[in-house]
Each structure stands twice: as structure tokens, then as C-alpha cells.
Amino acid sequence: MAKPDWDRYFMNVAHAVKERASCSRRKVGAILVKEKQIISTGYNGTPAGTKNCNEGGCGRCASDVPSGKELDKCACCHAEENAIVQAARHGMNTAGATMYTTFTSCVQCAKMIINAGIKKVVSEADYPDDLGTKLLKEAKVELARLKK
């Protein structure tokens, strides 16, 4: 069996990371990579020290609000957000990094990616709102798609 190329390898890791997600609506994983080394990981769910979705920690996740809507009512942090925050918390420089995420970024995460100096985003599935993708393109962040 041939070993996977680097993009598939890191996306496989992002898929493993998403298994830790505590969001009851969708599991998403993200990792930050520099020079073929993982510098940070993140998955979606409520902030540390708060109730998880399955414990009633996020009313939006327990509702039937459509994906991508009423995000201001969501208590969860996104996987990309958590990967960036964890890198900052541990003093890891994100400038020039590549983010691998199992889902394309929302607008909030796209803004964080741009301001963190991340130069490339590799993703698989589409987020329901494409404003994040538009911002990333405008900021000249390289975008790549992998098929599942």
C-alpha cells in the first residue's frame, strides 16, 4: 500500500482530531502545519470549562436552526479558531503555516486565519456560506480542496 501524500496525511490527522469534537451538530477538525510539522490542533465545541453541547451547553446546537445561521447564538468555538488559539497559548508562530480543516471556514474563522498569517488552507467539505472563502481569496490565502 502506497503511503499518502502530505496533504492527505495531514487531512487524515485532522479527521482523527475531529473525533474529540463535543459539538452535537457537526464534528470538525483542524490542524496547523509548518515545515511538515504539526504545530497545533483544534476541534469544535464549547469553550474549556463550560458544559458540552450534549450537556446543554449550547442551545443553538440543540435547536433546528439551519447550518451557518444564527451563529451569534452558538456557544461553540470552531476547529480553526481552536487551532489558532492553542498555537497562541503555547507560543507557536502561525505566520506562513498551512491549515488543514475538514470543513471550509466560516467568515469569523477566515478573518482569524488571515490575521494569524496563515498562507494556505486545505479543506474538504463546503461551509453553507461562502463569505469566508471569498475573504481568504481576497487576502491571497492559497486555497486547496481535497476529495474525501
Side-chain angles (χ1 to χ4, degrees), residues 23 34 42 55 63 107 111 124 129 142 144:
C23 179
K34 280 184 89 166
E55 301 166 324
S63 74
V107 66
K111 291 187 282 187
E124 283 184 336
D129 176 2
E142 182 183 347

Side-chain angles (χ1 to χ4, degrees), residues 67-69 71 104-107 126-134:
S67 180
K69 304 293 182 196
L71 295 178
T104 59
S105 301
C106 72
V107 66
D126 283 326
Y127 192 75
D129 176 2
D130 67 347
L131 181 55
T133 300
K134 289 177 184 175

Side-chain angles (χ1 to χ4, degrees), residues 60-110:
R60 181 186 174 277
C61 288
S63 74
D64 60 357
V65 172
S67 180
K69 304 293 182 196
E70 298 185 33
L71 295 178
D72 59 322
K73 294 179 173 77
C74 185
C76 293
C77 299
H78 286 188
E80 301 95 324
E81 173 185 9
N82 278 327
I84 292 167
V85 168
Q86 287 302 312
R89 184 175 184 180
H90 296 285
M92 303 302 293
N93 182 354
T94 58
T98 297
M99 178 170 281
Y100 290 84
T101 179
T102 58
F103 216 70
T104 59
S105 301
C106 72
V107 66
Q108 285 300 118
C109 289

Side-chain angles (χ1 to χ4, degrees), residues 20-27 44-46 53-54 61 74 76:
R20 291 283 308 153
S22 61
C23 179
S24 59
R25 291 182 69 136
R26 176 179 290 129
K27 291 183 179 291
N44 58 326
T46 54
C53 290
N54 61 356
C61 288
C74 185
C76 293

